[in-house]
Structure formats: structure tokens, C-alpha cells
Amino acid sequence: MRLRTFQGLVPVPEQAAAVAAVPYDVVNREESKALAKGNPVSLLHVDRAEIDLPDDVNAYDDRVYAKALENLRKLQSDGVLVREKEPTMYLYRQVMGSHAQTGLVAVCHIEDYENDVIKKHEKTRKVKEDDRTRLVDTLSANTGPIFLTYRDHATVLALTKAHEEHDTPVHDFTAPDGIRHQVWRLPADTCAKLTDFFVKEIPVAYVADGHHRSASAARVGKERRERNPSHTGQENYNWFLSVLFPAGELKILPYNRAVKDLNGHTKDGFLQVVKAIFNVSPNGLKDPLHPGQAGMYIGGKWYQLDWAPLAGASPVDVLDVSILQERLLATVLGIDDPRTNERIDFIGGIRGTAELERLVDSGGAAVAFSMYPTTVDQLMAISDAGQIMPPKSTWFEPKLRSGLFIHTLE
């Protein structure tokens, strides 16, 4: 793993809370507009610049990218975003309730991404990758960090915890959703130790969240490398903004499912089919207690689904979401491709099982399933095997905020 310091753009301390924005891909256009309303310095004006244009302007229109660049430049000219005095790394701590996680903010090399030193577990959609590629190239900047993880190592933990516990953070605020964000700037000697240590002791990292952002950053770097006859490999475009978290600190929530109809089955008929596939008990289980178990909500009642572990199966096939998809969603409910089928919705676990009940009780879905969270170990095993997870398998929480650090490519 190659890491490097970077001399980025950062918000002045008094504006950090206002600038920090949720990732572009967890909110739609209307939600982005609502979040940024009355806040002209929110980075959503850059990452989702369509909110500043008429509603009939397509999100991929040329005007959107031009507006994003205009808004980024204005944040700089107004003194909201300023250039760091020297290259550095940061610690970024997030606290959500009783859960806390601290990541190392640095830039990673695009060749590590291309050569699978940074491992992936999802496919990207071309339209989304093209969009982020164009935005990064237009801005000449990475505005949203990639969420990476690596296997825990005591040396890294000791180096980072010492600063976290004894130094004063440059940013410390609680966002409207109740999540606390703290940032520490690391001294040069610690940055040098971490750079050296990752190269020697951390063989790989894993994309936890941000596959489209990492793919687009690598694409822009590759295209600029090919256009530059004086390319050396040290230019800023060879690196992309990342936050690296030790795996043991991460929290994955379930990614639940709701299907709009029963594919021609009656409720009673569907229940009989399910009982032939899984062990079913009407005991009111809402949240699965372990892998090999799911909750099913239908007709105002919760049912518990259980199944035996698969012996000798691949890391992908043993996932609960894979088993539910192959045994029930595809064969019984006709959800042939969950990436494209419009009869299925995916609900992040942060919204809880009450959202599943609401969808079914309101008629927006016929049946819903609460899943046990995929584990970080499962994510790593799938990535190590070079396999691809089913869509919507992991929901990491809390989400990284964009705008606290911006890596520029020039």
C-alpha cells in the first residue's frame, strides 16, 4: 500500500460544519436540494450542482459540470476553502451513538487500484462512473473521499491513537443527524512513519464504500497520464483521496429488501412455498440474530426464516443476501436481476425495520425481508477471491462527509 501526504483544500474551521456534506450517492436531487437549502457553502453545490439549475436540466447536462466548477471556485475565492500550507495527512474520527471509528486521510496511488492492491467487491455502473469521471476531470479535484479498510495492525493503531487522545482537533462538530466529526492534522514525522509502515506492513486495502468514486479517480489519472509526455508517476493525478479505517472499527448495517408484489401468488400460497424452502416460524422476529437467518414481514406479521449453512460454497454463495436471492427472490418472486428489476427496493439498515413495516402496510410492497449484516471478514474474503458481491450487500454507517478535505490534481 502506497500512501502520500497531500496539500489539499480544506474549510476554514468556522465553516467546516456547513461545508461538510453527505456523499453525493446517498441522496437524490430533491433530498440534496433540501439539505443544501439556506446553506450556500454546502459541498452539495459542487457534488450535486444540478440543485442550482432548473429542475428540467438533466443531471448529466454540460451545464451541471460547469456549475460545479463555478461553485468550487467561488468557495475558494470567498475564503471558505483554503489551501493547506504544506502537505499532510489527517485523522478523521466519527462517533455515532456508542460507535466510534477513526480513519487515516491520505492519498493512494491509482496503480494500486489498477493492480488490485486496492481490492474491489462491486461492479460499477457505466453511467455513474462516467458522471463522476467527468466531474473529477472538470474540477481537477477529488471532492469525495474513498472509504477504504485494511486488516487491523497494532502499530498503526498506536501511532494514530496517540494523536487522537492528546492533540487538539482542527475540526470538531456534530452534524444535524447527530453524528460527531473530528479531524486532526498529523505532524510530518508521523506522516513519514505511516507512509513507510504501510508500504512495508500493509499488503492490501479494500474498497468498503465508493466504488464509482475510486473507478472514476483511476480513470482520470490514467487519461491524464496518457496525455502527458513528461509523466513521472508523482503528479497529483496519480493519487486519489482516501480514508483508511482498520476493519475492527467498522460498523456494517443490513441492507434490507422489499418486493412490490408476490409474482401472482396469494399470501397464503406464498407462505406455503416459503415453508418448503426455509424453516419458517411466526414468532415475530424483526432483526436476525445471526447469519443464516432473516425476518420476513407480510400481512402485518413478522416471520422468522432459518436455513443451514452451505458447506463448501464460495464466499459469495454463502452470503445471506445470495441465499435469499437464489432460493426465493429469483425462483419464486421473479426478481431475475436485482440490479435492474424495478419490482424490488433496497432499504438501508439505518432506517430500521419500521420502514419495512411502513412499506408493506401502506401497500408500497407486498413482502419485506430484514437481513443480518454482511461482515467485514466476508467482504474481504470475497475481494481476496476476486469475486463480486450481489448488489446492495453492505451499508456502512456512519458515512464519510465530503468537503472536509479536497485533493486537487494540479
Side-chain angles (χ1 to χ4, degrees):
M1 275 295 301
R2 283 180 285 178
L3 301 182
R4 193 170 83 167
T5 58
F6 65 105
Q7 191 172 358
L9 296 171
V10 294
V12 292
E14 60 270 21
Q15 293 277 27
V19 171
V22 297
Y24 81 98
D25 53 354
V26 302
V27 285
N28 60 30
R29 187 174 189 151
E30 291 73 27
E31 292 167 333
S32 300
K33 186 179 292 188
L35 286 172
K37 185 177 180 180
N39 180 8
V41 302
S42 169
L43 204 81
L44 285 170
H45 294 286
V46 176
D47 281 350
R48 298 295 299 261
E50 65 268 25
I51 66 177
D52 294 330
L53 296 169
D55 290 342
D56 61 353
V57 175
N58 187 281
Y60 307 134
D61 190 283
D62 291 350
R63 288 169 287 180
V64 174
Y65 305 98
K67 188 66 175 177
L69 180 59
E70 175 189 329
N71 289 344
L72 179 61
R73 286 175 172 169
K74 188 174 190 306
L75 289 173
Q76 295 175 74
S77 63
D78 289 349
V80 176
L81 293 177
V82 296
R83 179 75 62 181
E84 283 281 34
K85 293 183 174 62
E86 58 187 21
T88 189
M89 295 179 186
Y90 310 85
L91 294 183
Y92 179 19
R93 185 172 189 258
Q94 300 172 295
V95 183
M96 183 180 72
S98 61
H99 173 76
Q101 58 190 37
T102 302
L104 174 65
V105 184
V107 290
C108 297
H109 205 284
I110 63 170
E111 288 180 359
D112 285 351
Y113 177 88
E114 294 168 343
N115 296 331
D116 219 29
V117 173
I118 297 173
K119 295 176 176 285
K120 286 74 71 177
H121 67 263
E122 284 184 10
K123 290 181 179 178
T124 58
R125 293 174 54 198
K126 186 177 186 301
V127 64
K128 291 181 67 177
E129 185 181 320
D130 288 349
D131 166 53
R132 290 300 103 175
T133 298
R134 187 169 180 191
L135 182 69
V136 170
D137 199 36
T138 300
L139 301 177
S140 201
N142 308 133
T143 54
I146 315 305
F147 190 148
L148 300 180
T149 187
Y150 60 94
R151 288 185 172 87
D152 296 21
H153 202 292
T155 300
V156 179
L157 185 64
L159 273 173
T160 57
K161 288 299 179 186
H163 293 286
E164 183 181 331
E165 293 172 359
H166 301 294
D167 295 352
T168 302
V170 293
H171 302 312
D172 188 348
F173 63 91
T174 299
D177 58 6
I179 297 172
R180 185 181 182 185
H181 301 267
Q182 296 174 287
V183 173
W184 290 264
R185 189 182 289 109
L186 291 175
D189 61 334
T190 300
C191 294
K193 289 176 184 176
L194 288 167
T195 299
D196 183 61
F197 188 82
F198 266 79
V199 168
K200 293 178 178 177
E201 300 292 338
I202 307 295
V204 296
Y206 302 81
V207 179
D209 202 4
H211 283 79
H212 290 91
R213 276 167 277 161
S214 53
S216 61
R219 262 179 66 182
V220 171
K222 182 178 180 181
E223 290 167 2
R224 293 192 175 200
R225 182 169 56 193
E226 291 170 350
R227 295 197 302 262
N228 182 7
S230 303
H231 170 78
T232 66
Q234 292 302 306
E235 297 89 353
N236 283 350
Y237 60 69
N238 292 285
W239 304 81
F240 61 90
L241 182 63
S242 304
V243 186
L244 298 103
F245 289 91
E249 292 191 8
L250 297 186
K251 185 179 184 67
I252 301 182
L253 299 182
Y255 225 140
N256 299 321
R257 276 89 168 115
V259 181
K260 295 178 181 178
D261 60 71
L262 297 180
N263 199 30
H265 296 275
T266 65
K267 187 194 80 169
D268 290 340
F270 175 70
L271 283 171
Q272 291 306 310
V273 173
V274 176
K275 288 176 181 178
I277 300 171
F278 300 119
N279 295 320
V280 180
S281 57
N283 68 353
L285 177 83
K286 294 185 179 183
D287 295 298
L289 303 176
H290 53 73
Q293 189 175 77
M296 182 177 73
Y297 187 70
I298 184 172
K301 183 183 291 188
W302 280 98
Y303 295 82
Q304 177 179 324
L305 310 184
D306 289 281
W307 57 88
L310 290 177
S314 74
V316 170
D317 291 339
V318 301
L319 292 178
D320 288 355
V321 291
S322 297
I323 290 171
L324 185 74
Q325 172 63 32
E326 295 304 318
R327 295 189 187 179
L328 182 58
L329 300 185
T331 56
V332 179
L333 292 177
I335 307 298
D336 49 351
D337 186 348
R339 286 185 174 86
T340 59
N341 196 299
E342 296 182 354
R343 294 173 46 242
I344 187 169
D345 290 319
F346 301 92
I347 299 92
I350 193 69
R351 301 174 73 176
T353 54
E355 177 64 10
L356 303 182
E357 294 173 350
R358 186 196 68 79
L359 284 170
V360 174
D361 292 344
S362 68
V367 62
F369 303 90
S370 63
M371 309 302 297
Y372 189 80
T374 301
T375 68
V376 178
D377 285 341
Q378 288 177 318
L379 180 154
M380 290 179 168
I382 289 167
S383 300
D384 287 340
Q387 297 181 335
I388 300 298
M389 274 190 177
K392 311 298 185 183
S393 296
T394 57
W395 181 279
F396 284 90
E397 197 71 42
K399 301 290 185 185
L400 304 182
R401 291 304 195 268
S402 298
L404 294 175
F405 339 87
I406 294 175
H407 169 239
T408 54
L409 307 188
E410 295 174 346

